[in-house]
Amino acid sequence: MTKIIVITSGKGGVGKTTTSASFAVGLAGRGFKTAVIDFDIGLRNLDLIMGCERRVVYDFVNVIRKEASLNQALIRDKHIKDLFILPASQTRDKDALTLEGVAAVLEELSKTFDYIVCDSPAGIERGAQLAMYFADSAIVVTNPEVSSVRDSDRMLGLLSSKTKRAEEGQPPLTEHLLLTRYSPKRVARGDMLSLADVNEILAIPLLGVIPESQAVLRASNSGDPVILDKESDAGQAYLDAVGRFLGEEIPHRFIEEKGNWLKRIFNLKERETV
Amino acid sequence: MTVSSLAVEQKPCFQFKANFLPCTVLQILYYNDAILEQQLSSTLSNSPSFFTDLPVIIDLDKMKSQDAFDFAKLKEILLANKMILVGVRGGNEAQHLSAVQAGLPLLPASKLSVTEVKPTKKEEPVVRLTKLVTTPIRSGMQVYAKDSDLIVTAAVSQGAELLADGNIHVYGPLRGRVLAGVQGNLQARIYCSVLDAELVSIAGYYLTKEDMLKSPLSEGMKQIFLDNEQVRIEVL
Ligand SMILES: Nc1ncnc2c1ncn2[C@@H]1O[C@H](COP(=O)(O)OP(=O)(O)OP(=O)(O)O)[C@@H](O)[C@H]1O
Ligand SMILES: [Mg+2]
């Protein structure tokens, strides 16, 4: 059975596309045939993060309008043979997507793919609702700040009412929280909400915590999703999250301040000198 | 002393209140005082206390005969059986005349009950269904329990809104807006344990989060109700 995953958030710029790219790579790396679709029509981004922007000929809208076949539009990933990217159109706007069109594309992909990852645009409008409509699982990407948490909460409300599963009274989709751009240091300083704060408000299972990391910007610039950077904290955090998504029990990392023991020693010394 | 100063000084000595007094209608099918007396006493022996102090309306609508009859005797029989006579309704002019002569008030012949102050359909107890929500109510969602109470067993997020014509009970953390008695029921109440609401309102009277933060409450189950047009929060 093909599984459709939507990566969504409500708020913009929280790391949906970064997550979509890394998740797609992670799932394909585990041997699942995976497609990742850019639903952000007009602001295409996924192809850049995946490093395939120079190979885009046809896009999602072309396929919906039957101007190209799905096979013509799908781009094979440069690293992993079981991974394909369906890019967004740069020139069209969000109204180019139709429910029937999206349904037809997902149905055709479902014949051959194990996982379909849908990178949602920001907002709660049509584009975001189309991206979530057919989903079996939702990964709600949230930054540890009040407005992002509020938007994620709003999104969870829509996921429970505005999806095919909800409308047809089928079992609800599975919800996962992915807390990204987390900085334990800033949490300690009180600049950011803590993991506990966010958990208390959203109250859905935690898939992982992705630390704020320089590696993400480096990865975006080079067009290699950060999950491929196995040395980096963010890369490891995404690998863990994919494992947990597949049902593995992996303890959470990157939620404590780094070098805490060092700090404790310094604190001790300071106290001694006082 | 002028009239207006008199009005200022004197407290009102009465007020009108709607009330639903239970009342029995005694339909007279035909009139014969001997038979009435005998049948009444046998009914009474079956349930001796049933008629005691029971307000009774004498209804003549089912009576075939148009003739006036002895209302004084009828009154005597009913009073002897410990009934309280409210008045007479139905019948014709001749009957009305003799009823008035016997000192019995006339009630409008319409379908009005004795509680004419405020005619209402709700004389029978109405069992209302309570609306139950067991899943989280997220930001942007609104739940309205029309004509009923609302029970929520999950969290209510900031930016969510609960409305009910009746009472509202919330068993998860309450962080959104809650409005009970939205059709104006002053008796409506809100019950919750974790109160972090953006707004609580009873029948249009409300407290904002800012108001509530001014007087922090201890932990525990809370009751929110209207007291003299003032929304009050009480820890149970
Ligand atoms: N863990 C992270 N550490 C540091 N920077 C990050 C992290 N995750 C994302 N970013 C940065 O945040 C910015 C937004 O990321 P991304 O494009 O993935 O967000 P988005 O939710 O898809 O945005 P949009 O709503 O515009 O589609 C990018 O500049 C990205 O490099
Ligand atoms: Mg994006």
Side-chain angles (χ1 to χ4, degrees):
Chain A
M1 265 303 278
T2 308
K3 265 205 157 175
I4 302 174
I5 308 168
V6 62
I7 315 290
T8 189
S9 70
K11 191 170 160 62
V14 296
K16 291 181 293 296
T17 302
T18 304
T19 300
S20 299
S22 280
F23 243 78
V25 168
L27 290 168
R30 299 287 195 109
F32 296 106
K33 194 170 178 194
T34 304
V36 55
I37 307 178
D38 191 348
F39 273 77
D40 206 347
I41 310 298
L43 285 172
R44 70 174 224 230
N45 249 322
L46 182 68
D47 50 328
L48 285 172
I49 307 287
M50 304 282 299
C52 65
E53 73 279 8
R54 280 185 232 111
R55 289 187 286 144
V56 174
V57 182
Y58 297 108
D59 58 51
F60 194 11
V61 173
N62 293 137
V63 178
I64 282 180
R65 297 230 172 122
K66 301 206 161 59
E67 294 157 0
S69 74
L70 189 54
N71 277 331
Q72 284 175 303
L74 283 173
I75 302 170
R76 186 187 285 269
D77 182 67
K78 60 186 175 186
H79 299 287
I80 303 166
K81 77 171 190 352
D82 274 337
L83 177 58
F84 291 81
I85 300 115
L86 183 57
S89 163
Q90 182 75 299
T91 50
R92 304 271 177 42
D93 62 16
K94 291 185 169 45
D95 295 333
L97 293 184
T98 62
L99 191 65
E100 299 73 38
V102 172
V105 168
L106 292 177
E107 198 171 317
E108 199 176 336
L109 287 172
S110 296
K111 288 178 194 155
T112 46
F113 285 88
D114 300 311
Y115 283 101
I116 303 170
V117 177
C118 304
D119 180 18
S120 173
I124 55 169
E125 308 303 325
R126 193 179 148 76
Q129 295 199 13
L130 281 173
M132 71 163 74
Y133 190 76
F134 297 97
D136 302 302
S137 298
I139 297 177
V140 179
V141 180
T142 306
N143 288 170
E145 46 139 334
V146 175
S147 65
S148 173
V149 173
R150 173 84 67 97
D151 283 7
S152 293
D153 192 64
R154 183 89 211 259
M155 223 57 220
L156 285 164
L158 294 177
L159 287 165
S160 68
S161 58
K162 293 265 158 64
T163 58
K164 185 165 183 272
R165 282 174 172 269
E167 283 176 7
E168 293 180 356
Q170 294 170 25
L173 49 67
T174 53
E175 300 163 335
H176 307 270
L177 173 64
L178 191 71
L179 197 54
T180 62
R181 310 200 66 165
Y182 196 72
S183 163
K185 211 158 90 191
R186 295 189 57 195
V187 171
R189 263 195 270 143
D191 298 349
M192 271 186 177
L193 295 178
S194 71
L195 173 59
D197 294 336
V198 178
N199 250 337
E200 195 189 305
I201 295 170
L202 296 179
I204 59 169
L206 178 70
L207 188 60
V209 176
I210 312 294
E212 171 78 21
S213 166
Q214 290 293 316
V216 172
L217 191 61
R218 270 202 316 270
S220 304
N221 289 337
S222 67
D224 299 316
V226 71
I227 196 170
L228 294 167
D229 184 356
K230 295 198 168 65
E231 302 300 309
S232 70
D233 47 1
Q236 291 173 19
Y238 273 117
L239 278 172
D240 286 0
V242 170
R244 285 186 207 106
F245 186 82
L246 295 172
E248 294 160 17
E249 290 218 13
I250 302 169
H252 288 284
R253 300 194 269 170
F254 313 111
I255 49 183
E256 301 289 344
E257 210 171 331
K258 255 184 273 175
N260 245 351
W261 59 275
L262 257 180
K263 204 174 155 195
R264 247 177 268 138
I265 290 173
F266 280 126
N267 277 344
L268 231 98
K269 278 197 173 158
E270 267 167 38
R271 234 173 278 154
E272 276 168 6
T273 52
V274 167
Chain B
M1 195 187 271
T2 64
V3 175
S4 65
S5 70
L6 191 93
V8 169
E9 276 167 29
Q10 281 188 341
K11 286 185 188 163
C13 67
F14 67 86
Q15 61 184 21
F16 279 115
K17 283 206 76 181
N19 203 346
F20 305 104
L21 187 67
C23 193
T24 298
V25 175
L26 179 76
Q27 292 188 321
I28 308 288
L29 306 178
Y30 62 94
Y31 186 75
N32 177 308
D33 48 38
I35 299 176
L36 177 71
E37 214 168 355
Q38 179 222 320
Q39 289 181 353
L40 259 183
S41 70
S42 87
T43 310
L44 261 168
S45 64
N46 290 336
S47 45
S49 62
F50 182 75
F51 288 110
T52 306
D53 295 338
L54 189 76
V56 167
I57 295 173
I58 301 161
D59 186 309
L60 306 178
D61 272 347
K62 290 260 154 57
M63 238 180 122
K64 295 260 160 51
S65 160
Q66 301 290 304
D67 300 336
F69 57 91
D70 190 356
F71 273 90
K73 180 70 186 162
L74 173 64
K75 187 178 165 186
E76 191 189 321
I77 297 168
L78 299 183
L79 288 177
N81 283 294
K82 297 207 174 63
M83 293 179 211
I84 298 167
L85 300 184
V86 176
V88 176
R89 80 177 184 200
N92 58 32
E93 246 182 78
Q95 292 167 334
H96 289 172
L97 192 66
S98 83
V100 170
Q101 278 166 356
L104 290 168
L106 294 178
L107 302 175
S110 70
K111 289 278 176 227
L112 281 185
S113 71
V114 68
T115 59
E116 298 132 64
V117 183
K118 215 167 209 178
T120 169
K121 286 162 264 162
K122 288 176 186 165
E123 256 186 297
E124 289 156 41
V126 181
V127 180
R128 297 194 189 94
L129 292 173
T130 297
K131 191 178 176 86
L132 173 67
V133 180
T134 56
T135 50
I137 303 179
R138 305 280 184 181
S139 175
M141 293 170 84
Q142 190 188 57
V143 176
Y144 175 34
K146 193 171 161 32
D147 293 331
S148 77
D149 289 1
L150 174 62
I151 296 179
V152 179
T153 58
V156 179
S157 295
Q158 235 175 69
E161 190 167 72
L162 304 183
L163 303 142
D165 289 344
N167 308 300
I168 299 179
H169 306 248
V170 180
Y171 295 94
L174 174 50
R175 306 192 178 100
R177 297 158 56 91
V178 221
L179 299 91
V182 290
Q183 300 257 37
N185 179 5
L186 302 170
Q187 312 305 320
R189 291 181 178 218
I190 298 167
Y191 297 88
C192 63
S193 53
V194 179
L195 177 62
D196 190 17
E198 295 171 292
L199 179 111
V200 296
S201 161
I202 308 278
Y205 299 91
Y206 61 86
L207 292 177
T208 62
K209 184 159 200 165
E210 214 173 79
D211 298 331
M212 289 184 267
L213 285 175
K214 279 180 204 150
S215 40
L217 293 155
S218 53
E219 302 226 324
M221 201 68 193
K222 284 156 199 86
Q223 170 171 241
I224 303 167
F225 59 100
L226 207 54
D227 178 19
N228 259 326
E229 308 196 341
Q230 195 67 41
V231 178
R232 279 190 40 201
I233 306 176
E234 190 179 271
V235 179
L236 292 174

